[in-house]
Amino acid sequence: MTEVVITGTGLYTPEHAIDNASLVTAFNAWVDAENARNAEAIAAGEREPLAHSSSEFIVKASGIHSRYVLDAEGILDPERMRPRLRERRNDEPSIQCEMGLAAAGDALQTAGVAAGDIDLVIVGCSNLERPYPAVAVEMQSALGAGGYAFDMNVACSSATFAIETAANAIRAGNARRALVVNPEICSAHLNFRDRDSHFIFGDACTAIVVERDDLTTAEARFGILGTRLTTRFSNAIRNNAGFLNRVTDSDPLAVDKLFVQEGRRVFKEVCPLVSSLITDHLASLSLSGDDLSRLWLHQANRHMNDLIARRVLGREPTVREAPVILDRYANTSSAGSIIAFHLHRDDLTSGALGVVCSFGAGYSAGSVVVRRQ
Ligand code: COA
């Protein structure tokens, strides 16, 4: 069978960072103003006052200290509390295309691949800025790439699902070199007025070059030993925004048109799903946790990652074995596990094995087992 390798990765990090203290200050200012606006109803016992958020809670519950966003000012304005992004004209690059190009530059350079040699572009992410034309087709044109391109959305699992799709296209002979891009603008779907989740997400974009092993000259190659995907329907993470909103006469600004989750339930249900996925995947390759040097896990919650890594390895993971990037990036949806891979792969020696694993809404989870060549 055709050997497929990952030869390059790239990362675009937005320039604005928001630490927990600034986020909490803005949130609490909004809470105070909202409680003042509803003072009478609160005094009459008709309404519960809103509670403050706290940096201590955020760090303790999630491990997140800070996040990068495309626009901090709009988010930190208690009168607005959502990013302010400029609408692009049709003759300008779209925002996700721009993020994708920034990440792709690094990935192509590391892989030693010219953009024109790419013949498959997959943009996989949780939120696409428009239904069509596909952002991936726009990127294909901007890169001068050949072949074909398409967008796909499997929420936080989009990157691993896209890697499997790219690897299969290469094995089938339909493509030679693929670029997988994950432009995540999570700050645009996050409800910054929801105390339970206002701290969860950040923005970022990753890019991955996947190609046929016999075509590459790249030094650092990660051979894809296998991929495994799983899905199980759940409403515990849901976003009801969609093109039917205007014909169902629902309020497009209602909170259910943003990210909504039952965090505790997600934690309980997703951890076993993911640890079994990885363990079964390894077993199908005649491997076990003992064979792994690294777990590049989806970056949503520090405790989730510790638990999953513990179950897969059968012991306490070291920070080196299960690197954490969510402390600085927060949850960047599909980009998270790829950021961990991008920043923590170079030190692996030849023959070392690792797993890239993402998980999230759907539920969905994907595992990609790689060997450093
Ligand atoms: N500041 C202070 N206190 C807060 C708070 C905040 N921002 N948000 C919630 N709390 C309070 C709650 O009101 C609750 O108080 P109570 O015990 O008096 O009722 C308490 O803190 C615990 O809340 P809970 O929601 O149970 O916290 P948690 O420990 O489950 O942590 C998450 C919340 C979201 C960090 C965690 O559940 C999580 O990460 N889950 C997985 C999410 C995930 O991976 N999603 C995938 C997205 S792709």
Side-chain angles (χ1 to χ4, degrees), residues 144-168:
Y148 63 109
F150 59 91
D151 295 344
M152 56 183 274
N153 177 357
V154 199
C156 291
S157 300
S158 298
T160 49
F161 277 60
I163 291 171
E164 173 173 289
T165 306
N168 285 344

Side-chain angles (χ1 to χ4, degrees), residues 12 70 86 88 92-105 129 135 138-139 142 181 183 205:
Y12 162 75
L70 292 186
R86 186 177 64 79
R88 299 298 167 89
E92 290 181 287
S94 63
I95 301 171
Q96 287 181 310
C97 178
E98 249 175 31
M99 295 168 79
L101 291 174
E129 67 184 86
V135 174
E138 186 186 351
M139 276 202 67
V181 186
C205 178

Side-chain angles (χ1 to χ4, degrees), residues 172-215:
N174 296 333
R176 290 151 61 95
R177 291 191 180 92
L179 181 72
V180 169
V181 186
N182 316 106
E184 292 288 8
I185 313 177
C186 301
S187 63
H189 80 149
L190 181 54
N191 180 358
F192 286 98
R193 293 179 174 160
D194 175 36
R195 179 172 174 258
D196 292 337
S197 64
H198 74 114
F199 53 89
I200 284 181
F201 287 108
D203 303 333
C205 178
T206 47
I208 311 145
V209 175
V210 184
E211 48 183 331
R212 255 173 48 185
D213 191 32
D214 59 339
L215 293 181

Side-chain angles (χ1 to χ4, degrees), residues 52-54 57-58 61-62 156 195-201 237 259 261-264 266-267 298 300-301 304 331 333 359-361:
H52 277 182
S53 180
S54 93
F57 170 83
I58 296 171
S62 69
C156 291
R195 179 172 174 258
D196 292 337
S197 64
H198 74 114
F199 53 89
I200 284 181
F201 287 108
I237 314 171
F259 169 89
Q261 78 165 353
E262 292 174 56
R264 197 140 278 219
V266 173
F267 196 114
H298 175 50
N301 180 298
M304 272 179 115
N331 182 346
S333 198
F359 42 88

Side-chain angles (χ1 to χ4, degrees), residues 22-34 37 72-82 84 192-193:
S22 317
L23 191 74
V24 165
T25 301
F27 179 87
N28 290 349
W30 171 76
V31 164
D32 291 343
E34 195 66 5
R37 277 190 280 271
E73 211 180 309
I75 294 168
L76 295 178
D77 174 358
E79 296 300 317
R80 180 174 173 89
M81 297 183 80
R82 60 183 192 276
R84 191 185 298 279
F192 286 98
R193 293 179 174 160

Side-chain angles (χ1 to χ4, degrees), residues 4-280:
V4 181
V5 286
I6 294 173
T7 52
T9 52
L11 169 64
Y12 162 75
T13 302
E15 61 186 282
H16 305 283
I18 301 180
D19 62 15
N20 288 343
S22 317
L23 191 74
V24 165
T25 301
F27 179 87
N28 290 349
W30 171 76
V31 164
D32 291 343
E34 195 66 5
N35 284 342
R37 277 190 280 271
N38 294 302
E40 269 182 35
I42 292 169
E46 292 158 11
R47 198 179 174 123
E48 284 294 315
L50 296 173
H52 277 182
S53 180
S54 93
S55 297
E56 295 72 31
F57 170 83
I58 296 171
V59 172
K60 190 163 161 275
S62 69
I64 297 166
H65 290 262
S66 186
R67 70 283 295 142
Y68 295 96
V69 290
L70 292 186
D71 172 61
E73 211 180 309
I75 294 168
L76 295 178
D77 174 358
E79 296 300 317
R80 180 174 173 89
M81 297 183 80
R82 60 183 192 276
R84 191 185 298 279
L85 303 180
R86 186 177 64 79
E87 187 179 25
R88 299 298 167 89
R89 297 189 314 269
N90 288 0
D91 61 355
E92 290 181 287
S94 63
I95 301 171
Q96 287 181 310
C97 178
E98 249 175 31
M99 295 168 79
L101 291 174
D106 267 5
L108 292 167
Q109 198 180 5
T110 330
V113 168
D117 289 335
I118 295 291
D119 54 6
L120 168 59
V121 179
I122 305 178
V123 167
C125 58
S126 286
N127 294 280
L128 286 153
E129 67 184 86
R130 60 170 182 263
Y132 47 82
V135 174
V137 177
E138 186 186 351
M139 276 202 67
Q140 175 196 26
S141 161
L143 288 164
Y148 63 109
F150 59 91
D151 295 344
M152 56 183 274
N153 177 357
V154 199
C156 291
S157 300
S158 298
T160 49
F161 277 60
I163 291 171
E164 173 173 289
T165 306
N168 285 344
I170 292 169
R171 286 193 193 104
N174 296 333
R176 290 151 61 95
R177 291 191 180 92
L179 181 72
V180 169
V181 186
N182 316 106
E184 292 288 8
I185 313 177
C186 301
S187 63
H189 80 149
L190 181 54
N191 180 358
F192 286 98
R193 293 179 174 160
D194 175 36
R195 179 172 174 258
D196 292 337
S197 64
H198 74 114
F199 53 89
I200 284 181
F201 287 108
D203 303 333
C205 178
T206 47
I208 311 145
V209 175
V210 184
E211 48 183 331
R212 255 173 48 185
D213 191 32
D214 59 339
L215 293 181
T216 180
T217 52
E219 257 177 51
R221 306 171 197 189
F222 288 81
I224 298 178
L225 300 190
T227 54
R228 185 171 281 205
L229 313 177
T230 187
T231 50
R232 189 195 299 163
F233 184 65
S234 166
N235 276 321
I237 314 171
R238 193 168 170 118
N239 182 336
N240 284 331
F243 80 108
L244 290 180
N245 293 158
R246 61 185 286 277
V247 296
T248 54
D249 295 336
S250 58
D251 173 4
L253 296 180
V255 292
D256 75 318
K257 308 301 184 299
L258 296 167
F259 169 89
V260 180
Q261 78 165 353
E262 292 174 56
R264 197 140 278 219
R265 193 172 136 206
V266 173
F267 196 114
K268 272 198 205 133
E269 292 176 351
V270 169
C271 286
L273 181 93
V274 173
S275 27
S276 315
L277 171 75
I278 299 176
T279 309
D280 294 350

Side-chain angles (χ1 to χ4, degrees), residues 221-223 225 291-294 296 345 347-355 369-373:
R221 306 171 197 189
F222 288 81
L225 300 190
D291 299 304
L292 292 181
S293 297
R294 199 140 300 168
W296 298 282
R345 68 180 172 96
D347 62 309
L348 286 191
T349 51
S350 175
L353 293 173
V355 178
V369 177
V370 295
R371 174 184 283 129
R372 170 88 195 230
Q373 295 184 347

